Every structure is written in C-alpha cells, then in structure tokens.
Amino acid sequence: MVRGYRRLAGAAVSLAMAGTLAAASLVTGAVPAGAAAPASAGHGEYLVFHRAGGQAEALRAVRAAGGAVAAVDAKLGYIVARGPGAAFAERLGASQAVIGVTGNRKIGATTALGAATGPATAPLSLTGPSALPAASSAASGAPAAGPSAKGAARGADPLSGRQWDMKMIGATATGSYAKARGSRKVLVGIIDTGVDGRHPDIAANFNRALSRNFVTDQPKDPNGKELDGPCEVKGCKDAADMDDDGHGTHVASTIGSPLNGIGVAGVAPNVSLVNVRAGTDYGFFFLKPVMDALTYAGDAGIDVVNMSFFVDPWTFNCTSNPADSKADQLQQSGIITGVQRALDYARARGVTLISALGNGSSDLGAPTSDKESPGYPLGKERERTIDNSCLNVPAESRGVISVSAVGPSKRKAWYSDYGTEQTDLSAPGGDPSDEGTSLKGTAREILAAAPAHVLRREKLIDKSGKPTGSSVVRECHHGHCAYYQYLSGTSMAAPHAAGVAAILISRFGKPGKGGLAMSPEKVERMLYATATRVKCPASGSTTYTVSEETHVCAGGPAKNGFYGHGMVNAYRAATTRG
C-alpha cells in the first residue's frame, strides 16, 4: 500500500526504497474547486463536509467563522473554504451541519514496504507506497533472454518463468490465458502515483484518452523538507502517462501487461489500463485528489479501480480520540466522510473497488497503537492509543474489497495486515522472508514493469543501463531494453484481485458506458465464489512472531482473518459458468 510513497500503508514501497477526481458542481460565481481562493496571510484552504441538506447552514458557518467560500461540490457534499488556521476549523465544528473539516493539503501514502527484511525486523513506518523494497543481492546485471514470438503465441512472455505469483493464481499459458485474457472494453483504473504509459510492456494496453492526473507535485513540505524534488514540467503537473515514482507502473503491469513477447504478462493481458493519478511523486495522497479520482472513475465508466494506498496524514482515522485536538478529530472525520462519499459515488456508477489491506503487520480488528500519524508534514508523527473505532481508509471503508498478501509458499506475508472483519481476499504480494519454497532473495517478490528514468535516478541501473542489483531485471530485443523490478507489499497483492475482477467483467459484463458494465455486487460475489479457500495454519491458530507480536488467524476456510474468502483464482474466473 502506498502512503507518502516511501513508507507503507496499503500500497507498494517506493522505488527509492525498493533497491526496495471529477469536476465539482460549483456555487454560482465561485472559482473552480481545484483553484484556491485569493490568498491572505495566515489563511489555509479547507474541505468542509456537511450533512445531507445542510449546505446552506454550513455556508453560513464558514462566513460566520471568518472564512471565504471558494467552491461547493454538490456531488459529494462539501465546501472548499479559506479561513484563519486551526481555530477556524474548530469554530466550524460547532455547527450542527458540519461533519468534518480537513485541510486541503498533501496527505496520503502508498502501500508498499520500505525494507526487504524478514519478520524479525520491525516494519518501516506506514507512510509510503504499499510495496516493500526488493531484497538486495548481487546480480550479474546481464539482460534476460530476448523475447520470443513463439513464446508469446504459446501464451507466455520471456519473463513469465519468474512470475510465481501468476502460477499461484492460474494465470498461465495453460491456465487462464488459454481461456480468457480480458477485454479491451473493460477499463481498469489505477489510482496511484501515475502509470508509465510509454513502457513497452504497458503501452499496448494504455488508454491515454481517458487517463487523468489529479495532483500537482510539491517540491517541499511546509517545513521546507524536500518531497517531490524539482518540478519536471511547468506548473508541476505531470502528463497523464508519467510516473516519477514507479509504484503505479508496477501495479498497472501486474493487472494488465500484454502478452506481446516482451517481459512479463499481467493477470488480464487484454484489458485497458487507465491512469487515474491521485498520488504525488513522493507518494503522498491528498484527500481531494483521491475524491476527484474516484468521482472521475464513476463518471468515465471505469469498471474497476485499484487503490494501493491509504489517505493520510492519519494511518488510522479516529473521530473522537481524546488524545487528539478538536481540529485533528474534525480532520479525521472529514477524511472518513469524504472518501466514503466518493467511494459510494463511484460504486453506485458501477465501479468495483479493490484496495490493498496494509503493511502494518497488525490485526486491524484490534488495533491498540498508531505511531505513524500524522504523517504530514514530515516529522510530526506521535504515538496514540487507538481502538477498533479508528479506521484505515480506504481499506476499511464500506463497499471496498480489501486484499491481504501472501508469499510464494502461500503463507501470509509477515508485513501484511489482517483481520476477520477486514480481510476479504488474499493474493500474492511477495515476502523476502518466506522460506517455504526453493525461491531465494528477490525471486520471492513480485516482478513487474518499472520506469527506466526512476530506476536510473535511484541508481538501480547505471549509466549504461545495467542493473546494479538483483532487484531489477533488464530484458532487451532488437536493440531496445525494458526494465522490471521486484517489489513486495499488499500494494502488489491488490492488483492481482483487480485483474481477476477484470476477467469476470470481460466474461459476464453487459454493454454499458465505456464498453462493458457489471454491478460491483455481482463482481464481488463472483470473486469470492471463484477464490481458492485457504485454511488457517494447522499449528494451532498462530503462525509466526513479528517484532515480538504473534499473528493469530481466526475463522474457518470459508472466511478467516489471514485469507478472507480465499486466494484469488484467475483460472476459475476464466472458466466459471457464472
């Protein structure tokens, strides 16, 4: 999972560690929701969420508190306002019409792990992508064998032999690829740090026309600490086919890299991939871009979205934690409310919602402590005592299918969050510490496409293009090379489920907006019905110890805290009669 990209949270870990939303309905005369009201000293921009039917009262509250209205979003029920700091937010909270008040600033993270250490090592902070960095070990750096047209015709790509994850779920030449590869009419949205739409193992399936970028990169945080670095383009808004992090590209590749005789193949190699970017280069996710991305997905006819991130700055959002100030409580309430409304909007328009569960190595049904919040601005984290009323968003939001991660032996990955309430499905996410198979080191992680410029920046390939370690694989033919990276995390697990959902929609969807359509309720039922049931470990109900904490698997084969309703199964999805 991604969060602040370089930490964990439900998306994949940043590449650096890898060595590891639709237009709003505006009030007449208001500026666009994405624009700022005229700046004034000491004023900040806020998203003010109001109760149904409470817009007029909330507008009066904004003005009474000394604020100015910039815009109103009637779709999701919030006001964009400017006001004088935290005191402004607390004054708004006194209104019966106001549910939450959240600063409109960079918040969020990806779901990837930040270190390739085993369970004996405490997990990194959960503020980055949901992918874990690949284990580092020496490598020759030699290119992989060139692609073979015959191999592609047989339903395999040159690096398919390294994709243990696809074998685990039946996405192989003799498995699902021979039965159903998905349809170009099925649109899969990647809400992430971007997608490298020019990567040779993504380009054929990349839908540039529908792709959007809802974020503006932020070179530094309010304290002057570097975040995204220098802007590459004027206005700091990257093109819709760019990914300066790599997390989103890896996710997209796992979902739908084509069977084209190049590199790897995705779960559904014939679907259309749509970049619906809501994360910055560093991997932080603003609340508003996340809402905008989900709203756009609903309006654009996208069938499935993959969310390998959590919205920050809070790993867990608590609406009434006594350890938090009133302003902090209102901010967390705003995040829960705003994301849920955006999810409901998208799901009501046919979008199946898939999320990484998280890399906190904890039981989300019984959380006791949050040491990672608030994750923005950098360095503001403090330890809080929490309980199960606090939510990880969007993994614990309603209507979302949340996915835990397993390693190559099918053991729950040491870093993966779990819980009988929260885990809906499981899927391969990689685990460097999983010694249950003959695989070693990076081979225990998930291999997928990576942007060359990101690898070069992170010194994972040298000036000549040669990989500097085993976490990166170069595959060349006809003088052109493409790059792939091993990563681990629940960020890597979720896209396997998104790909299987795309196969089901390709087979059973009906003509609809954008191509094919299928109700999220039916997709969810079929995902569960086609999953491979996995029992809790036989040795009692416990597995292994992580940082002196014992992970306990509760429940039976039909539904348990480690595997949910089971492991996603592409072959069964490709062959079920419905």
Side-chain angles (χ1 to χ4, degrees), residues 466-494:
K466 179 180 178 181
T468 58
S470 64
S471 68
V472 173
V473 176
R474 178 174 62 173
E475 193 262 326
C476 306
H477 67 287
H478 303 307
H480 298 284
C481 295
Y483 293 90
Y484 303 83
Q485 185 175 29
Y486 283 103
L487 290 174
S488 296
T490 56
S491 284
M492 283 59 260

Short mmCIF file of all heavy atoms in Angstrom, two decimals, residues 466-494:
data_model
loop_
_atom_site.label_atom_id
_atom_site.label_comp_id
_atom_site.label_asym_id
_atom_site.label_seq_id
_atom_site.Cartn_x
_atom_site.Cartn_y
_atom_site.Cartn_z
N LYS A 466 22.81 -0.94 -17.15
CA LYS A 466 22.97 -2.23 -16.50
C LYS A 466 22.42 -2.18 -15.07
O LYS A 466 22.72 -1.25 -14.32
CB LYS A 466 24.44 -2.61 -16.46
CG LYS A 466 24.73 -3.94 -15.77
CD LYS A 466 26.23 -4.21 -15.78
CE LYS A 466 26.56 -5.52 -15.07
NZ LYS A 466 28.04 -5.77 -15.06
N PRO A 467 21.58 -3.16 -14.66
CA PRO A 467 21.09 -3.19 -13.28
C PRO A 467 22.24 -3.29 -12.29
O PRO A 467 23.24 -3.97 -12.53
CB PRO A 467 20.22 -4.45 -13.24
CG PRO A 467 19.77 -4.64 -14.66
CD PRO A 467 20.96 -4.22 -15.48
N THR A 468 22.11 -2.57 -11.17
CA THR A 468 23.17 -2.58 -10.16
C THR A 468 22.93 -3.61 -9.06
O THR A 468 23.74 -3.75 -8.16
CB THR A 468 23.28 -1.19 -9.52
OG1 THR A 468 22.02 -0.82 -8.95
CG2 THR A 468 23.69 -0.14 -10.55
N GLY A 469 21.80 -4.32 -9.14
CA GLY A 469 21.49 -5.34 -8.15
C GLY A 469 20.40 -6.26 -8.67
O GLY A 469 19.86 -6.05 -9.76
N SER A 470 20.05 -7.25 -7.89
CA SER A 470 19.10 -8.26 -8.35
C SER A 470 17.65 -7.80 -8.28
O SER A 470 16.75 -8.51 -8.72
CB SER A 470 19.26 -9.54 -7.53
OG SER A 470 18.94 -9.29 -6.18
N SER A 471 17.39 -6.62 -7.74
CA SER A 471 16.00 -6.16 -7.64
C SER A 471 15.47 -5.68 -8.98
O SER A 471 14.26 -5.47 -9.13
CB SER A 471 15.89 -5.03 -6.61
OG SER A 471 16.55 -3.86 -7.07
N VAL A 472 16.35 -5.50 -9.97
CA VAL A 472 15.93 -5.03 -11.29
C VAL A 472 16.36 -6.02 -12.36
O VAL A 472 17.47 -6.56 -12.31
CB VAL A 472 16.54 -3.64 -11.59
CG1 VAL A 472 16.25 -3.22 -13.04
CG2 VAL A 472 15.99 -2.61 -10.62
N VAL A 473 15.46 -6.26 -13.30
CA VAL A 473 15.75 -7.14 -14.43
C VAL A 473 15.63 -6.33 -15.72
O VAL A 473 14.65 -5.60 -15.91
CB VAL A 473 14.76 -8.33 -14.48
CG1 VAL A 473 15.00 -9.19 -15.73
CG2 VAL A 473 14.89 -9.17 -13.22
N ARG A 474 16.63 -6.47 -16.60
CA ARG A 474 16.59 -5.82 -17.91
C ARG A 474 16.33 -6.88 -18.97
O ARG A 474 16.95 -7.93 -18.98
CB ARG A 474 17.92 -5.11 -18.19
CG ARG A 474 17.99 -4.44 -19.55
CD ARG A 474 19.27 -3.65 -19.72
NE ARG A 474 20.47 -4.48 -19.66
CZ ARG A 474 21.70 -4.03 -19.91
NH1 ARG A 474 21.89 -2.76 -20.20
NH2 ARG A 474 22.73 -4.86 -19.82
N GLU A 475 15.40 -6.57 -19.86
CA GLU A 475 15.04 -7.52 -20.91
C GLU A 475 15.08 -6.77 -22.24
O GLU A 475 14.40 -5.75 -22.40
CB GLU A 475 13.64 -8.09 -20.64
CG GLU A 475 13.27 -9.30 -21.48
CD GLU A 475 12.44 -8.93 -22.68
OE1 GLU A 475 11.62 -7.99 -22.59
OE2 GLU A 475 12.60 -9.58 -23.72
N CYS A 476 15.90 -7.24 -23.16
CA CYS A 476 16.16 -6.49 -24.39
C CYS A 476 15.86 -7.31 -25.65
O CYS A 476 16.01 -8.53 -25.66
CB CYS A 476 17.63 -6.06 -24.46
SG CYS A 476 18.23 -5.13 -23.02
N HIS A 477 15.48 -6.62 -26.69
CA HIS A 477 15.37 -7.23 -28.00
C HIS A 477 15.39 -6.13 -29.06
O HIS A 477 14.92 -5.01 -28.83
CB HIS A 477 14.09 -8.06 -28.12
CG HIS A 477 12.83 -7.26 -28.09
ND1 HIS A 477 12.35 -6.68 -26.94
CD2 HIS A 477 11.94 -6.95 -29.07
CE1 HIS A 477 11.23 -6.05 -27.20
NE2 HIS A 477 10.95 -6.19 -28.49
N HIS A 478 15.98 -6.46 -30.22
CA HIS A 478 16.08 -5.52 -31.34
C HIS A 478 16.71 -4.19 -30.90
O HIS A 478 16.34 -3.12 -31.39
CB HIS A 478 14.71 -5.27 -31.97
CG HIS A 478 14.03 -6.51 -32.45
ND1 HIS A 478 14.63 -7.42 -33.31
CD2 HIS A 478 12.79 -7.01 -32.17
CE1 HIS A 478 13.80 -8.41 -33.54
NE2 HIS A 478 12.68 -8.20 -32.86
N GLY A 479 17.64 -4.27 -29.96
CA GLY A 479 18.35 -3.08 -29.54
C GLY A 479 17.61 -2.21 -28.53
O GLY A 479 18.11 -1.17 -28.12
N HIS A 480 16.42 -2.62 -28.12
CA HIS A 480 15.65 -1.84 -27.16
C HIS A 480 15.46 -2.65 -25.88
O HIS A 480 15.16 -3.84 -25.93
CB HIS A 480 14.28 -1.47 -27.73
CG HIS A 480 14.37 -0.61 -28.96
ND1 HIS A 480 14.65 0.73 -28.91
CD2 HIS A 480 14.21 -0.92 -30.28
CE1 HIS A 480 14.66 1.23 -30.14
NE2 HIS A 480 14.40 0.24 -30.99
N CYS A 481 15.63 -1.99 -24.74
CA CYS A 481 15.53 -2.68 -23.46
C CYS A 481 14.39 -2.11 -22.62
O CYS A 481 14.08 -0.91 -22.67
CB CYS A 481 16.83 -2.53 -22.66
SG CYS A 481 18.26 -3.34 -23.44
N ALA A 482 13.76 -2.98 -21.87
CA ALA A 482 12.73 -2.58 -20.91
C ALA A 482 13.14 -3.10 -19.53
O ALA A 482 13.91 -4.06 -19.42
CB ALA A 482 11.37 -3.15 -21.31
N TYR A 483 12.62 -2.44 -18.49
CA TYR A 483 13.05 -2.78 -17.14
C TYR A 483 11.87 -3.23 -16.28
O TYR A 483 10.73 -2.78 -16.44
CB TYR A 483 13.73 -1.57 -16.49
CG TYR A 483 15.04 -1.23 -17.16
CD1 TYR A 483 15.08 -0.33 -18.23
CD2 TYR A 483 16.23 -1.83 -16.75
CE1 TYR A 483 16.27 -0.03 -18.86
CE2 TYR A 483 17.43 -1.53 -17.37
CZ TYR A 483 17.44 -0.64 -18.43
OH TYR A 483 18.63 -0.36 -19.06
N TYR A 484 12.22 -4.12 -15.33
CA TYR A 484 11.24 -4.71 -14.43
C TYR A 484 11.85 -4.74 -13.04
O TYR A 484 13.06 -4.89 -12.88
CB TYR A 484 10.87 -6.12 -14.90
CG TYR A 484 10.35 -6.10 -16.32
CD1 TYR A 484 11.23 -6.10 -17.40
CD2 TYR A 484 8.99 -5.99 -16.57
CE1 TYR A 484 10.77 -6.01 -18.70
CE2 TYR A 484 8.51 -5.90 -17.87
CZ TYR A 484 9.41 -5.90 -18.94
OH TYR A 484 8.95 -5.80 -20.21
N GLN A 485 11.00 -4.62 -12.03
CA GLN A 485 11.50 -4.54 -10.66
C GLN A 485 10.75 -5.50 -9.75
O GLN A 485 9.54 -5.70 -9.90
CB GLN A 485 11.35 -3.12 -10.12
CG GLN A 485 11.96 -2.95 -8.73
CD GLN A 485 11.91 -1.52 -8.27
OE1 GLN A 485 11.02 -0.78 -8.67
NE2 GLN A 485 12.83 -1.12 -7.42
N TYR A 486 11.49 -6.09 -8.82
CA TYR A 486 10.90 -6.93 -7.78
C TYR A 486 10.49 -6.02 -6.61
O TYR A 486 11.29 -5.25 -6.10
CB TYR A 486 11.90 -7.96 -7.27
CG TYR A 486 12.11 -9.15 -8.19
CD1 TYR A 486 13.25 -9.24 -8.98
CD2 TYR A 486 11.19 -10.19 -8.23
CE1 TYR A 486 13.47 -10.34 -9.81
CE2 TYR A 486 11.40 -11.29 -9.04
CZ TYR A 486 12.54 -11.36 -9.82
OH TYR A 486 12.74 -12.46 -10.64
N LEU A 487 9.23 -6.12 -6.19
CA LEU A 487 8.72 -5.40 -5.04
C LEU A 487 7.81 -6.33 -4.24
O LEU A 487 7.27 -7.30 -4.78
CB LEU A 487 7.92 -4.17 -5.46
CG LEU A 487 8.67 -2.98 -6.06
CD1 LEU A 487 7.68 -1.93 -6.54
CD2 LEU A 487 9.64 -2.38 -5.06
N SER A 488 7.61 -6.02 -2.97
CA SER A 488 6.69 -6.77 -2.11
C SER A 488 5.77 -5.80 -1.40
O SER A 488 6.13 -4.67 -1.13
CB SER A 488 7.47 -7.57 -1.05
OG SER A 488 8.28 -8.55 -1.63
N GLY A 489 4.58 -6.25 -1.09
CA GLY A 489 3.65 -5.43 -0.33
C GLY A 489 2.22 -5.79 -0.63
O GLY A 489 1.94 -6.46 -1.63
N THR A 490 1.31 -5.35 0.21
CA THR A 490 -0.09 -5.56 -0.11
C THR A 490 -0.46 -4.74 -1.35
O THR A 490 -1.45 -5.04 -2.02
CB THR A 490 -1.01 -5.18 1.07
OG1 THR A 490 -0.75 -3.84 1.48
CG2 THR A 490 -0.80 -6.11 2.24
N SER A 491 0.36 -3.74 -1.67
CA SER A 491 0.17 -2.99 -2.92
C SER A 491 0.32 -3.90 -4.11
O SER A 491 -0.27 -3.65 -5.16
CB SER A 491 1.21 -1.87 -3.04
OG SER A 491 0.91 -0.81 -2.21
N MET A 492 1.14 -4.91 -3.98
CA MET A 492 1.37 -5.86 -5.06
C MET A 492 0.30 -6.94 -5.10
O MET A 492 0.04 -7.55 -6.13
CB MET A 492 2.74 -6.54 -4.88
CG MET A 492 3.97 -5.73 -5.26
SD MET A 492 4.18 -4.19 -4.39
CE MET A 492 3.55 -3.06 -5.61
N ALA A 493 -0.35 -7.18 -3.94
CA ALA A 493 -1.41 -8.19 -3.87
C ALA A 493 -2.71 -7.69 -4.51
O ALA A 493 -3.35 -8.40 -5.29
CB ALA A 493 -1.65 -8.59 -2.42
N ALA A 494 -3.09 -6.47 -4.17
CA ALA A 494 -4.37 -5.93 -4.65
C ALA A 494 -4.53 -5.98 -6.16
O ALA A 494 -5.61 -6.36 -6.65
CB ALA A 494 -4.55 -4.50 -4.14
#
